[in-house]
Amino acid sequence: MTGPRWLAPLAALGGLLVLLPLIGLVSRVEWPRFWELVTSEASLTALGLSLRTAGTATLVVLALGVPLAFVLHSLRGPMRGIVRALVLTPLVLPPVVGGLALLYAFGRRGLLGEQVGGSVAFSTLAVVIAQAFVAMPFMVVAVESALAARSGRHEAIAGTLGASRTRILLRVTLPALGPALATGAVLAFARALGEFGATLTFAGSLAGVTRTAPLEIYLAREADPASAAALSLVLVLVAISVVALAYRPLRRAP
Amino acid sequence: MSRGPGIAIAALGIAIIGAVIWASSTRDAVDARAHAEGRVELTVFAAASLADVMEPIAEAFESAHGAVDVRLTYGGSSDLAAQIAEGAPAEVFVSADEAQMAAVADHVSGDAAVVATNTLTLVVPAGNPAGVRGLEDLASPGLVSVICAPQVPCGAGTAELATLAGVTLTPASEEQSVTGVLGKVASGQADAGIVYVTDIARAEGVEAVEIDGADAVVNHYMAAALTGAREPGLPALFVEFLTGPEAREVLAAAGFGTP
């Protein structure tokens, strides 16, 4: 499908809007010191923490987001719209609002009480919770759209052959959802990697414990802008490679 | 980053013209010109911690110089300094510390002046649930404390104070800003934090616990006129006003020390 010719200049403008800031970032990197800057102890600690927490958050989102998508898909009537809107809220919440909301739920004075709140406060777990909170909608949306595109015929056939619901889920539905799961996981990981506002508000910032790469960049930008630019570029490269390697646009099921 | 001699010559020229006009003119001359040309704007970049005091000071300046509109922009001093270095059209910079004023030295016209001072204090949630009495309590393992990261001004002061007191701090978090520390303490996430004395007045749900010897670490707020003023002489007038009696009164009422 090719659009009319007048789309091209608009597309070029759109592309520039996305590319120009990236080029600007690259232009500020001090290349002779690049390696030294990104392998500094602070940078490596922050990057390592980011990869660990984003990876864990992705697993959490897989384990909880997929069931959530199934339940959402099984809902009928207005409930479905309401529940979907609620589940997608983190997508549209300003990050600081998300952080405050997490604080009121999991904080020391939050809904779950001092016992739970005290052990979550300022811990790496708090970072994972914040990341899973903001990344969950990506998985739910990906899986729910894939479910909606399925006819259910294969599941019905498996049912008539006597397969249990669990067996149908594990042997028929989930394998067919593979691409959607991959897409959801990749987007969730990328979003978790970039999480900033909720982490800062909710989890705090301590090297090796809660100071992920985005927080390190925010801090370094004050005292050491060259280091901030270098680490930013690394984060951009990680995000681009993850998305390029694993992201495939969803296709309609045959 | 060098922009070549052109900028330097232009800056020098503006500085000389500014100095000449400054030397030969008075407030009245500036005002007369402002009246002749309509209203004049003055763009002031000020440290966020000054937000509450800059409004009344700017209003007093405006009423003393009829035709001037002071446009205030607040932010972290280092953010503002970075914006000035990137060419933001600020005419006066009021920084929360000396380091950030030094960072924009190339853009300063004339001398920077100390306009206010500030000292650090412990901050605890209202009612002081953990019973914090002094700086040494922050070293105890059961107490959750948050401070500013050493890279930002309040954190540099905190580290200096801890060293002077011989206390090893064990913070649960090193925040980017005073606001971050206040937020964690006000919400009860942390039992104690360290902020500036004047920050307490602006925050809800917290109270101060004095630090013995806090006077040993004094933070200096600096103000300076910047190059490229639209109305030569006006930025310097504003800086002078900031160190004058009317501004001092407002600053002192908010808890700032005055030089």
Side-chain angles (χ1 to χ4, degrees):
Chain A
M1 180 165 49
T2 316
R5 241 178 236 176
W6 55 264
L7 287 182
L10 291 175
L13 271 181
L16 266 183
L17 182 61
V18 176
L19 277 181
L20 212 51
L22 291 180
I23 295 169
L25 184 64
V26 171
S27 76
R28 284 303 172 95
V29 173
E30 289 181 22
W31 293 106
R33 288 175 63 213
F34 178 76
W35 191 247
E36 172 203 337
L37 289 172
V38 298
T39 54
S40 75
E41 200 191 331
S43 296
L44 286 182
T45 306
L47 269 178
L49 181 70
S50 263
L51 293 176
R52 280 203 314 280
T53 51
T56 312
T58 306
L59 292 179
V60 170
V61 162
L62 261 174
L64 307 180
V66 175
L68 200 51
F70 271 86
V71 170
L72 188 56
H73 180 65
S74 69
L75 291 177
R76 290 288 168 264
M79 274 306 285
R80 191 170 181 175
I82 295 168
V83 173
R84 184 189 288 121
L86 284 176
V87 169
L88 299 191
T89 307
L91 272 186
V92 292
L93 272 190
V96 175
V97 177
L100 284 177
L102 287 166
L103 200 58
Y104 300 149
F106 301 101
R108 282 173 79 188
R109 291 185 186 167
L111 294 174
L112 297 184
E114 168 84 35
Q115 204 67 30
V116 174
S119 54
V120 172
F122 304 112
S123 68
T124 305
L125 177 61
V127 177
V128 174
I129 291 175
Q131 291 177 343
F133 174 76
V134 296
M136 188 76 80
F138 290 94
M139 180 62 78
V140 175
V141 168
V143 175
E144 201 214 348
S145 353
L147 284 174
R150 287 183 61 76
S151 62
R153 206 158 52 88
H154 292 102
E155 283 83 351
I157 294 168
T160 60
L161 296 175
S164 71
R165 281 187 173 204
T166 303
R167 198 173 154 80
I168 294 174
L169 172 70
L170 295 179
R171 303 299 293 273
V172 181
T173 317
L174 281 185
L177 288 179
L181 292 176
T183 299
V186 166
L187 290 178
F189 180 79
R191 178 68 187 87
L193 203 60
E195 211 311 296
F196 169 72
T199 307
L200 191 64
T201 313
F202 171 58
S205 174
L206 192 67
V209 182
T210 50
R211 188 173 295 155
T212 54
L215 272 68
E216 173 65 31
I217 290 168
Y218 188 58
L219 184 63
R221 141 207 87 105
E222 306 224 328
D224 188 3
S227 172
L231 195 54
S232 301
L233 186 63
V234 172
L235 213 55
V236 168
L237 290 179
V238 170
I240 290 179
S241 9
V242 167
V243 174
L245 280 178
Y247 180 70
R248 295 282 179 274
L250 287 175
R251 266 160 303 194
R252 284 249 154 216
Chain B
M1 191 167 38
S2 166
R3 295 242 169 94
I7 301 271
I9 292 167
L12 196 64
I14 291 167
I16 291 170
I17 294 168
V20 168
I21 291 171
W22 168 238
S24 63
S25 78
T26 61
R27 285 145 227 262
D28 297 333
V30 170
D31 283 355
R33 203 162 40 247
H35 281 301
E37 295 169 9
R39 299 191 72 78
V40 187
E41 277 183 15
L42 179 69
T43 306
V44 176
F45 277 21
S49 49
L50 293 171
D52 293 350
V53 289
M54 286 305 282
E55 299 286 347
I57 291 175
E59 275 169 29
F61 183 76
E62 284 169 349
S63 51
H65 301 272
V68 180
D69 279 329
V70 178
R71 295 288 168 91
L72 290 161
T73 298
Y74 303 111
S77 293
S78 34
D79 274 336
L80 295 177
Q83 288 172 22
I84 290 168
E86 299 278 345
E91 294 166 284
V92 174
F93 180 37
V94 191
S95 145
D97 70 351
E98 288 139 314
Q100 295 310 324
M101 186 56 82
V104 298
D106 290 351
H107 302 263
V108 168
S109 146
D111 289 325
V114 176
V115 292
T117 60
N118 213 344
T119 51
L120 293 165
T121 179
L122 285 167
V123 59
V124 295
N128 194 2
V132 176
R133 281 160 307 156
L135 196 59
E136 58 283 354
D137 289 344
L138 266 60
S140 79
L143 193 103
V144 182
S145 65
V146 288
I147 59 176
C148 290
Q151 290 91 329
V152 296
C154 57
T158 300
E160 200 182 333
L161 200 57
T163 309
L164 284 175
V167 175
T168 307
L169 300 175
T170 51
S173 179
E174 294 174 350
E175 300 286 328
Q176 324 272 156
S177 67
V178 164
T179 321
V181 174
L182 282 175
K184 300 290 190 296
V185 173
S187 65
Q189 279 296 90
D191 299 316
I194 297 178
V195 296
Y196 290 118
V197 171
T198 52
D199 296 318
I200 304 273
R202 302 188 297 129
E204 297 224 354
V206 296
E207 57 187 63
V209 173
E210 216 173 294
I211 301 175
D212 288 334
D215 291 346
V217 178
V218 178
N219 183 59
H220 294 96
Y221 285 83
M222 310 290 289
L226 302 175
T227 53
R230 282 170 290 182
E231 189 64 36
L234 189 60
L237 271 185
F238 188 77
V239 172
E240 191 197 49
F241 190 82
L242 279 174
T243 56
E246 278 179 89
R248 293 239 162 129
E249 201 174 304
V250 176
L251 286 162
F256 287 96
T258 47

